[in-house]
Each structure stands twice: as structure tokens, then as C-alpha cells.
């Protein structure tokens, strides 16, 4: 019997080869009908024998192309008509857009084979792509995802490319960025001043420059990288000097897994992650004595490694014959990545010796993503290229909200229905270029999602650039969200939680409801509200922001708070190191309460300990002292633990426990005086922090009867802290949740803000 069914498919089903897949499937089952993209995804009508249609429906989900993601599928029976064949109809444009745009995807194996096949017409063509790979998010202007709506619109296809594009049986059917050497974009090698170099083979010449130790700016998918030979210490040092980047580790691109294996310890999950089509930078344990220059990642036990993800990267690495290239964002420290050729030349002049640009426009900047495997799961330190704009899928419907994030490592979030769209990594907003990208991303996200929320969520901090921007908007209802409440809400959202939880939010800085700098917090929280159950006892931050850059100030603050000024008499190395004049100024500032805000920050406690035991007294990048303190543990598994005191006290929100670190410092000082080694000191401190927050959570459970704990905040980028606190809490009977897909640091803040404002 003949039947006809209409099938609405939602999810990531555009630009992933879904229509040709359905076409071939319908063909194989001798079905007539049609398929079209619409705003919600695709709509399919199939007509044929009952059994064949049933078989088609079964196969539809199981055999979908690798990049497709079906989130909803609705089938309705409709009347048969006289269709004789199956056809692909042109896209329709409608009012409410719910379709999902794909991120930029690494070159697929089929394209790679063609790229290195001398008989192929795209042999060594740096822009080869197909429906399974290539740029998406960074070349898209609006919906529906079709060529005129991308930056490929200025390249009319040659007859051969057009024939591939029109043929449903071809791998390049409706591949919007389809191109070849005859009709597509081309690379161009420019000298340091931006003048074209007469070159017969631009990529080979760029590779030669890299071999000779030069720095080459290379245009990729989401912006320019600065590339240098990672095995050449002089080249790496030169890059650091020119980029004004002291000690902060560089990521390294290696040609393949074998090369990665020679520099780092890999397990099966790491290998899968490195070679996934999303191609993140993966932080991996570094092998000793590799060929990579020490200055690539000084004072680190890990190395950030990634594999080539554009055809140009593949060709460049092959031609350079180098085992590893430093590939760092094309910017000055903390500015966003440069995207246009002219912009790159002006902003990167003085850094790059040459520019390998091209004439395909990047419409939106997008940095590389960074992940690390901790406690058996992939954790996003930076969720950007390869992942954005795939939404975070939520457990229920929420109103439309725009959330503008924090100040550092900013992202924005557009919440709509059951989906939360986090933007790419935007950067530190105090930087004018990053603030420009912030505004661009807000406009672009709303544009490609076709959502214009009336609720606007921002941080409680009155002076953040994001807050000031939010408060200057008209026609939207602005809602201020406390920083650590947002961290916990972000964790709840990712884990599909409702109701109330105990939230342990540990990080460097967040504005508290009492005007203090929070960051070592135990909250009782739901989306709509929170109370503070416990926090690290306050100490002054002498000099405010200067105390963040100079961890020794925090060590002085903690010692003076706990032991008064007589701490200076203790026979410890730190006291010999201290400059008496500077210390006295600091003590005076704290005593007279001059520029010394009070803080309960966990990051500052780590800073104090790192400085006190001599690991790091001045930092060159955010989080450096804490990272090096973790590294300093090595494989030490000392079981002792520096204790803390838990003291009840009352605050404006009612009873709140103070976590008193005095016993912790007493024990630490005793160990310092008996010459206990740095790894043991670090381990005992880490054990102490785990125990302190586990006990604070137990106390909070006792008071609230809640048993779910959410862990969030930048301090949980510390693998030891996350792993051991989660274990300790689980063994105490808690249900423990942490972040994975969404960054635990401030990159995940905007999601939590949106949930609080919308929940
Ligand atoms: Zn491909
Ligand atoms: Zn062509
Ligand atoms: Fe934070």
C-alpha cells in the first residue's frame, strides 16, 4: 500500500550533507517526494510502499552523516499525490529560526586524500573542503546557511565546482564553501610591511621562512596565528619578546598523532580528542627531553598540542618538515585574534616577519578551543572554534535572555527555549579590541539566531565593561547576577539540575553582595536566588589589583592577619627575601585600610602559599602562581593535611561559616622551618583546601538537608583540586556535579547569568 509521510527534523541538519544523505536514502528505497531546509531544520516528504517508508524512517536516524545532530523528529501521515521522483527543493525563509549552525570543522580524510593526490584537480589547494568539513561559523552572515549568506558569495563557482555543488550524489553537493584553484580563494605571501612577495609558491616560501627561524602570521579559520619553529629556542624567544608574552605557555601544532606521541603522554581518549573534527588544543602531560624548546611552556608539566585543521596547515607542516610549530593567536597579549589581512599587517607589524594571508573573508573572529582531561572527562578551558555555536541543550524551556558575561575570558550567551548559545572566547574586556569583539559578537549571535531578548543579564560588579555596556542599553530589562551564583547556575544548567544545591564556587575574583571580593564560597543556590553558607575568612588585598600581580603581597597579608607584624621574626626564607621598606608600606596600607579591599578569594589563598614557599612571587599571566603551585606537587602523595577552623558567624543573609586559615598557616610555617620540601608543602596545602571545603559542604548539608553539590569557578582548572574534592565529597555521600562542556572559569559565567535571569 502507498503511504506519504511528512517528517520535520530539528537539530544540526543544515550544511552537514543531510539533504544528499536523505536523497540517496529515498532513492535506495524507491521513494518519491522531496526535502527542503526550513527555519527549524529540514522538512521531508516521502511516498512509497508502507514497508519501504518504515524502513526509510528507521535508517534516517541511524545512518545520519557524522556531523549531523538530530534533536527532534516529528512524523505525520499525509495524503498521497502524484510525485514521481525525489527532489531537493530550494531553502525557504521563515519567521522563527530554530535551526542550528555548524562550527568550523577540520579537513576530512576524503579531502586530505585529494589534497595530496597529484592527479587531483585540487592537489595542494589550501581551501579544499566538502559537506563534511571546512569553515562554517566564521564565514556565515545570516540564515539560511546558503552560499549567498557566506563570505564565499564573491567567488562564483566554475562549471566543474558548480556541477559538484548541484549533484546530490557528490560529496560536495551544496557544500557552501566549495571551491577550486580556478574559482576559489587563494593565499598570498606578504612581507613584514604588507607588500606582496613575488612568489611562485607562497606556502613553500612561508615554510622556508619558518625553517629559517622567522615568525610568520598565518591566516586560519577564525583568525591569524603567529607561527614559529617550536624546536628553535631563538625563534620562540623572539616571538615572546615581540608579542610581549612572558612565560605564558604557547600551544604547539604537530603534523600527526605520532609526533604528538613523541612529545606528550597520550591515552586513547586523548588521541580521539586530538584527531576529532573539532580539533581543540589538548593540554597533555609533557614527556621529558623532547625536541620542543623549553621556552614554549616554561615551568609547566603540560603542553598544549593540536593537530592541523585546515588544508593550509597540512600543506605548511608538510613543506616545512618541522615536527612542531608554535601556533599562537595573532595578537598582542590578551587582545582578540586579528582576522583581516590589512588588520593583521597593522596590528602584527613588529611581530611577524611575513604574512600568509588569503582573500576569503573571516566574518567573525574565533580563537582555538582548549581542553584538558580531568577525572575521566573532557573539560573545556576555552570553548571556541570547533564547538561554537553548537548550543548547550537544557532540560526545559527558558525565556529569551542575553547575558553579557564577566570581565576576563569573557563570553556572551543567548538563551532561548531549550538552548543556550555561548559565544566564542572574546577575551579580557579591559582591552579595547576585545570590547569591540564583545559588541560584534552580541550583534552577530542575535542576528544568526534571529533572537532579540528583552531580558539582559550582567555581573553585579558595577565597573565591569560588560556591566556598563548592559546598563547603557535601552528597551531591555537588566538583571544583575552575583558572580559566584552565576558560576553555580552554569554548573546546574550544564547538568540539567533544578531546585537547590550546595554550590562550591572557587576562583580568583568576583564582586560580592557585601562589596568585598569573593572567591572561596559555599552557597545554597537555585537559579532564582542564593544564600552564602560559608566562605574563606576575609583578608585584605593590599594594593587591590597589584596584589593579584604580586602574590608576595597576599603572603604578607595572610601572615600579618594571622600573626600580626611579628611574623617578620620567623626564621623562614620568605622573610629574608622580603624588602623591609616595601613590606612596611604594605603593613601600613592594610592597617589604615588604604586601597586594601577585603577578600575571601581562593585564588588569592593559592597565591599567598605559592609566594610563601617560594614557588612564585610575581606573576606574568593570570593564574600563574596557582598553576605552578599545582605543578610543584609533582607525584608527591603525602597524606597529611593542613587543617582549617570552621567558625559560625552571622552576616546580612543569616548564619554563615567562616573558614579560618590560621591553623593552616601555623602548620605550614612549622613545616617551612623544618625544611620540608616544596612538593610536600604543596601537597599538604592542596589536601587542606580539599578537606576544608568538604567539611564546609558537610556543615551546609547538615543545615540545609541538600545533598547535591555543584563545583564551579576558575580554581577547578586545577586538576588535583577538582579530582580530589569530587572524590572526597562522593565518599561522604554527596551527589557531585562539575563542568565539562562549559568552562568552569569565567568563560562559563554568561550561561549562569542567563539561567539566573531567565530561571
Ligand atoms: Zn572534506
Ligand atoms: Zn572551481
Ligand atoms: Fe569567576
Amino acid at each position: 500500500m502507498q503511504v506519504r509521510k511528512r517528517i520535520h527534523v530539528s537539530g544540526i541538519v543544515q550544511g552537514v550533507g543531510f539533504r544528499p544523505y536523505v536523497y540517496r536514502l529515498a532513492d535506495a528505497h524507491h521513494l518519491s517526494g522531496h526535502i527542503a531546509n526550513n527555519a527549524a531544520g529540514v522538512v521531508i516528504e516521502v511516498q512509497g510502499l508502507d514497508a519501504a517508508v518504515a524502513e526509510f524512517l528507521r535508517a534516517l536516524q541511524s545512518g545520519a552523516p557524522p556531523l549531523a545532530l538530530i534533536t527532534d523528529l516529528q512524523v505525520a501521515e499525509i495524503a498521497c499525490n502524484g510525485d514521481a521522483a525525489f527532489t531537493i527543493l530550494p531553502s525557504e525563509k521563515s519567521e522563527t529560526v530554530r535551526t542550528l549552525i555548524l562550527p568550523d570543522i577540520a579537513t576530512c580524510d576524503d579531502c586530505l586524500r585529494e589534497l595530496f593526490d597529484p592527479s587531483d584537480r585540487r592537489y595542494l589547494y589550501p581551501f579544499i573542503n566538502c559537506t563534511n568539513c571546512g569553515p562554517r561559523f566564521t564565514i556565515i552572515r545570516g540564515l539560511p546557511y546558503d552560499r549567498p549568506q557566506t563570505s564565499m558569495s564573491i567567488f562564483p563557482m566554475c562549471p566543474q565546482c558548480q556541477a559538484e555543488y548541484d549533484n546530490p550524489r557528490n560529496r560536495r553537493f551544496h557544500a557552501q564553501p566549495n571551491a577550486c584553484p580556478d574559482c576559489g580563494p587563494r593565499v598570498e605571501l606578504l612581507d613584514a610591511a604588507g607588500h606582496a612577495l613575488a612568489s611562485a609558491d607562497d606556502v613553500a616560501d612561508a615554510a622556508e621562512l619558518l625553517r629559517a627561524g622567522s615568525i610568520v602570521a598565518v591566516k586560519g579559520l577564525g583568525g591569524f596565528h603567529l607561527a614559529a619553529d617550536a624546536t628553535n629556542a631563538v625563534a620562540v624567544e623572539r616571538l615572546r619578546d615581540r608579542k610581549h608574552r612572558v612565560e605564558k605557555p604557547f600551544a604547539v601544532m604537530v603534523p600527526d598523532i605520532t609526533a604528538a606521541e613523541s612529545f606528550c603522554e597520550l591515552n586513547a581518549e586523548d588521541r580521539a580528542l586530538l584527531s576529532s573534527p573539532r580539533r581543540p588544543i589538548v593540554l597533555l602531560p609533557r614527556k621529558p627531553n623532547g625536541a620542543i624548546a623549553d621556552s614554549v611552556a616554561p615551568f609547566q608539566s603540560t603542553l598544549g598540542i593540536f593537530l592541523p585543521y585546515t588544508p593550509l596547515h597540512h600543506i605548511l607542516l608538510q613543506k616545512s618538515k618541522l615536527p612542531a610549530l608554535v601556533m599562537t593567536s595573532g595578537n598582542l597579549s590578551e587582545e582578540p585574534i586579528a582576522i583581516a589581512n590589512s588588520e593583521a599587517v597593522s596590528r602584527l607589524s613588529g611581530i611577524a616577519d611575513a604574512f600568509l594571508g588569503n582573500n576569503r573573508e573571516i566574518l567573525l573572529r574565533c580563537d582555538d578551543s582548549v581542553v584538558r582531561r580531568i577525572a575521566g572527562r573532557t573539560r573545556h578551558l576555552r570553548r571556541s572554534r570547533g564547538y561554537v555555536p553548537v548550543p548547550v541543550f537544557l532540560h526545559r524551556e527558558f525565556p529569551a535572555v542575553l547575558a553579557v558575561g564577566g570581565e576576563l575570558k569573557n563570553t556572551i550567551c543567548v538563551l532561548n527555549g531549550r538552548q543556550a548559545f555561548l559565544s566564542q572566547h572574546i577575551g579580557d574586556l579591559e582591552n579595547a579590541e576585545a570590547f569591540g569583539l564583545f559588541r560584534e559578537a552580541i550583534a552577530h549571535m542575535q542576528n544568526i539566531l534571529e533572537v532579540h531578548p528583552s531580558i539582559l543579564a550582567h555581573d553585579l560588579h558595577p565597573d565591569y565593561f560588560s556591566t556598563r555596556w548592559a546598563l547603557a542599553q535601552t528597551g531591555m530589562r537588566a538583571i544583575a547576577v552575583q558572580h559566584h551564583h552565576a558560576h553555580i547556575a552554569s554548573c546546574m544548567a550544564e547538568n540539567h539540575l533544578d531546585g537547590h544545591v550546595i554550590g562550591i564556587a572557587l576562583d580568583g575574583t568576583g564582586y560580592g553582595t557585601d562589596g568585598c571580593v569573593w572567591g572561596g564560597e559555599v552557597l545554597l543556590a537555585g537559579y532564582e536566588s542564593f544564600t552564602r553558607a560559608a566562605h574563606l575568612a576575609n583578608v585584605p588585598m593590599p594594593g587591590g589589583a597589584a596584589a593579584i600581580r604580586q602574590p608576595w603581597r597576599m603572603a604578607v597579608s595572610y601572615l600579618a592577619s594571622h600573626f600580626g607584624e611579628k611574623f617578620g621574626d620567623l626564621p623562614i626564607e620568605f622573610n629574608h627575601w622580603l624588602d623591609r621598606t616595601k613590606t612596611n608600606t604594605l603593613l601600613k596600607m592594610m592597617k589604615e585600610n588604604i586601597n586594601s579591599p577585603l577578600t575571601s578569594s581562593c585564588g588569592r589563598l593559592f597565591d599567598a602559599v605559592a609566594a610563601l614557599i617560594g614557588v612564585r612571587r610575581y606573576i606574568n599571566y593570570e593564574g600563574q602562581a596557582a598553576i605552578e603551585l599545582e605543578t610543584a606537587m609533582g607525584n608527591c602523595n603525602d597524606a597529611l593535611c593542613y587543617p582549617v577552623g570552621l567558625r559560625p558567624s552571622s552576616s546580612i543573609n543569616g548564619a554563615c561559616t567562616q573558614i579560618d586559615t590560621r591553623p593552616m598557616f601555623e602548620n605550614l610555617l612549622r613545616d617551612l622551618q623544618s625544611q620540608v620540601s616544596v612538593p610536600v608543602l604543596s601537597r599538604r596545602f592542596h589536601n587542606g583546601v580539599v578537606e576544608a571545603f568538604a567539611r564546609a559542604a558537610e556543615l551546609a548539608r547538615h543545615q540545609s538537608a541538600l545533598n547535591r553539590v555543584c563545583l564551579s569557578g576558575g580554581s577547578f582548572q586545577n586538576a588535583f583540586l577538582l579530582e580530589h574534592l569530587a572524590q572526597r565529597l562522593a565518599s561522604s555521600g554527596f551527589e557531585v556535579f562539575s563542568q565539562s562542556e562549559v568552562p568552569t572559569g569565567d568563560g562559563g559565567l554568561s550561561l549562569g547569568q542567563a539561567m539566573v535571569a531567565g530561571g
Side-chain angles (χ1 to χ4, degrees):
M1 194 189 75
Q2 286 271 317
V3 293
R4 187 176 182 92
K5 298 217 161 149
R6 182 180 290 146
I7 308 148
H8 285 276
V9 187
S10 317
I12 302 176
V13 287
Q14 294 188 14
V16 293
F18 198 76
R19 287 177 299 171
Y21 159 71
V22 171
Y23 177 93
R24 287 190 296 269
L25 198 62
D27 211 30
H29 291 89
H30 309 289
L31 304 177
S32 61
H34 56 77
I35 179 170
N37 279 345
N38 71 358
V42 297
V43 54
I44 305 166
E45 287 188 18
V46 282
Q47 177 173 334
L49 288 175
D50 213 343
V53 170
E55 188 46 47
F56 169 88
L57 279 171
R58 249 192 304 280
L60 184 63
Q61 295 198 63
S62 56
L67 299 177
L69 176 68
I70 298 174
T71 56
D72 191 42
L73 194 140
Q74 310 237 353
V75 186
E77 181 122 19
I78 54 170
C80 291
N81 68 18
D83 278 357
F86 193 88
T87 52
I88 295 177
L89 302 179
S91 301
E92 54 182 76
K93 168 92 176 148
S94 85
E95 290 304 304
T96 52
V97 174
R98 293 279 175 142
T99 192
L100 299 173
I101 296 165
L102 214 65
D104 302 311
I105 295 295
T107 312
C108 73
D109 290 344
D110 290 329
C111 285
L112 269 186
R113 255 189 300 281
E114 293 170 357
L115 182 64
F116 291 111
D117 174 1
S119 68
D120 193 274
R121 72 190 189 91
R122 293 189 179 86
Y123 178 56
L124 298 184
Y125 179 57
F127 301 93
I128 189 171
N129 68 82
C130 72
T131 36
N132 300 319
C133 72
R136 298 286 189 276
F137 175 62
T138 52
I139 60 164
I140 215 165
R141 207 169 268 129
L143 287 182
Y145 176 60
D146 272 334
R147 194 161 173 118
Q149 291 277 42
T150 72
S151 62
M152 287 299 293
S153 60
I154 61 159
F155 301 103
M157 279 182 276
C158 70
Q160 263 178 299
C161 286
Q162 187 69 51
E164 293 167 339
Y165 184 92
D166 292 335
N167 176 4
R169 287 185 173 75
N170 194 285
R171 199 172 93 246
R172 298 195 164 87
F173 174 68
H174 286 195
Q176 307 307 344
N178 189 29
C180 79
D182 292 334
C183 66
R186 35 187 84 240
V187 294
E188 172 175 46
L189 187 62
L190 310 173
D191 67 13
H195 302 303
L197 288 164
S199 167
D201 185 341
D202 300 84
V203 187
D205 287 352
E208 199 43 55
L209 285 169
L210 287 169
R211 282 185 68 78
S214 295
I215 295 160
V216 182
V218 180
K219 187 170 173 180
L221 280 180
F224 274 82
H225 281 110
L226 289 163
D229 177 0
T231 63
N232 180 337
V234 178
V236 176
E237 225 22 85
R238 191 179 298 137
L239 178 57
R240 284 206 178 278
D241 276 1
R242 293 186 187 170
K243 201 172 142 74
H244 306 303
R245 177 151 154 157
V246 188
E247 292 172 352
K248 189 175 180 180
F250 285 134
V252 160
M253 185 180 275
V254 297
D256 49 37
I257 288 284
T258 315
E261 208 105 59
S262 70
F263 301 124
C264 292
E265 312 278 355
L266 304 188
N267 60 28
E269 286 84 22
D270 299 324
R271 269 180 227 113
L273 204 47
L274 275 173
S275 40
S276 89
R278 309 192 180 284
R279 293 288 156 102
I281 295 170
V282 186
L283 289 192
L284 293 163
R286 189 172 175 177
K287 283 186 179 168
N289 308 322
I292 292 189
D294 285 334
S295 49
V296 168
F299 312 109
Q300 304 269 327
S301 58
T302 57
L303 191 63
I305 291 232
F306 59 150
L307 297 186
Y309 57 83
T310 70
L312 179 62
H313 295 151
H314 284 282
I315 306 169
L316 191 63
L317 274 158
Q318 203 208 43
K319 295 207 174 196
S320 76
K321 299 189 185 67
L322 292 169
L325 284 179
V326 165
M327 286 287 253
T328 184
S329 298
N331 55 13
L332 276 166
S333 291
E334 311 310 330
E335 284 182 1
I337 191 163
I339 51 174
N341 292 1
S342 55
E343 180 199 12
V345 170
S346 71
R347 283 178 50 202
L348 305 179
S349 76
I351 305 180
D353 299 305
F355 294 83
L356 190 57
N358 67 61
N359 58 349
R360 183 176 70 200
E361 198 187 345
I362 298 171
L363 293 180
L364 203 61
R365 286 161 227 275
C366 196
D367 269 289
D368 296 314
S369 294
V370 185
V371 301
R372 183 179 184 186
R373 301 267 315 165
I374 303 176
R377 289 173 75 194
T378 302
R379 314 285 176 165
H380 275 270
L381 306 186
R382 187 159 84 192
R383 185 179 181 272
S384 212
R385 192 236 341 125
Y387 297 89
V388 171
V390 177
V392 176
F393 294 98
L394 305 171
H395 58 293
R396 60 178 167 91
E397 295 270 330
F398 288 88
V401 179
L402 168 67
V404 296
E407 181 86 330
L408 303 179
K409 299 184 166 64
N410 179 277
T411 63
I412 60 128
C413 178
V414 175
L415 175 64
N416 191 30
R418 298 179 70 132
Q419 297 168 346
F421 297 87
L422 276 163
S423 73
Q424 73 274 41
H425 166 80
I426 290 170
D428 298 352
L429 295 188
E430 58 215 6
N431 176 299
E433 308 270 357
F435 191 59
L437 175 57
F438 166 82
R439 285 176 304 192
E440 227 177 285
I442 288 171
H444 194 83
M445 285 294 259
Q446 295 184 87
N447 184 32
I448 61 171
L449 298 171
E450 302 194 344
V451 181
H452 295 275
S454 58
I455 304 173
L456 177 55
H458 62 86
D459 196 273
L460 190 60
H461 199 302
D463 296 328
Y464 279 0
F465 282 94
S466 51
T467 303
R468 288 196 215 156
W469 182 89
L471 294 177
Q473 304 309 302
T474 51
M476 292 172 97
R477 189 156 62 90
I479 297 178
V481 182
Q482 200 280 326
H483 191 98
H484 303 94
H485 185 201
H487 272 308
I488 298 306
S490 176
C491 183
M492 287 177 68
E494 180 180 351
N495 289 290
H496 294 182
L497 303 182
D498 259 316
H500 287 80
V501 301
I502 296 170
I504 303 183
L506 305 182
D507 67 1
T509 301
Y511 191 81
T513 50
D514 56 1
C516 293
V517 182
W518 292 10
E521 311 302 315
V522 180
L523 310 178
L524 304 178
Y527 293 125
E528 71 296 338
S529 66
F530 78 98
T531 56
R532 208 176 182 198
H535 64 87
L536 288 174
N538 283 337
V539 293
M541 267 171 81
I548 300 177
R549 290 189 301 271
Q550 305 176 11
W552 71 270
R553 290 178 181 235
M554 288 313 301
V556 169
S557 168
Y558 265 102
L559 292 178
S561 298
H562 291 323
F563 312 110
E565 296 185 9
K566 69 176 190 308
F567 80 84
D569 304 336
L570 289 169
I572 51 170
E573 183 271 342
F574 180 68
N575 278 332
H576 301 306
W577 175 87
L578 275 183
D579 177 308
R580 276 332 303 177
T581 324
K582 281 189 194 166
T583 307
N584 288 336
T585 313
L586 224 59
L587 293 170
K588 191 163 179 287
M589 279 172 75
M590 290 191 282
K591 207 184 303 172
E592 291 171 14
N593 196 15
I594 301 164
N595 192 16
S596 298
L598 291 177
T599 187
S600 56
S601 159
C602 179
R604 297 296 82 78
L605 173 63
F606 271 75
D607 285 356
V609 172
L612 185 57
I613 71 177
V615 165
R616 175 63 53 188
R617 285 165 182 160
Y618 288 87
I619 59 163
N620 292 302
Y621 60 90
E622 201 215 344
Q624 185 177 14
I627 290 169
E628 292 181 12
L629 189 57
E630 182 191 0
T631 306
M633 268 188 297
N635 295 321
C636 173
N637 48 28
D638 190 279
L640 285 183
C641 160
Y642 296 141
V644 296
L646 298 185
R647 306 198 196 299
S649 99
S650 59
S651 76
I652 40 168
N653 296 321
C656 180
T657 302
Q658 308 276 314
I659 303 173
D660 177 9
T661 53
R662 183 180 163 131
M664 178 173 256
F665 279 87
E666 281 170 351
N667 282 268
L668 176 56
L669 287 175
R670 199 172 307 137
D671 275 356
L672 269 178
Q673 289 172 77
S674 30
Q675 316 294 325
V676 172
S677 72
V678 166
V680 174
L681 295 170
S682 174
R683 176 69 198 239
R684 289 177 180 174
F685 166 70
H686 275 85
N687 290 343
V689 173
V690 167
E691 197 51 31
F693 284 98
R695 283 182 48 218
E698 285 166 352
L699 202 60
R701 171 168 61 187
H702 185 71
Q703 291 158 352
S704 67
L706 296 171
N707 196 48
R708 297 179 301 180
V709 180
C710 283
L711 307 179
S712 188
S715 298
F716 288 108
Q717 290 179 22
N718 181 316
F720 180 95
L721 190 59
L722 178 52
E723 230 172 287
H724 287 77
L725 184 52
Q727 256 168 36
R728 168 67 178 77
L729 290 165
S731 68
S732 173
F734 284 105
E735 246 189 298
V736 186
F737 302 90
S738 57
Q739 306 220 254
S740 152
E741 192 189 343
V742 176
T744 197
D746 286 2
L749 211 56
S750 58
L751 170 62
Q753 293 174 341
M755 298 300 291
V756 170

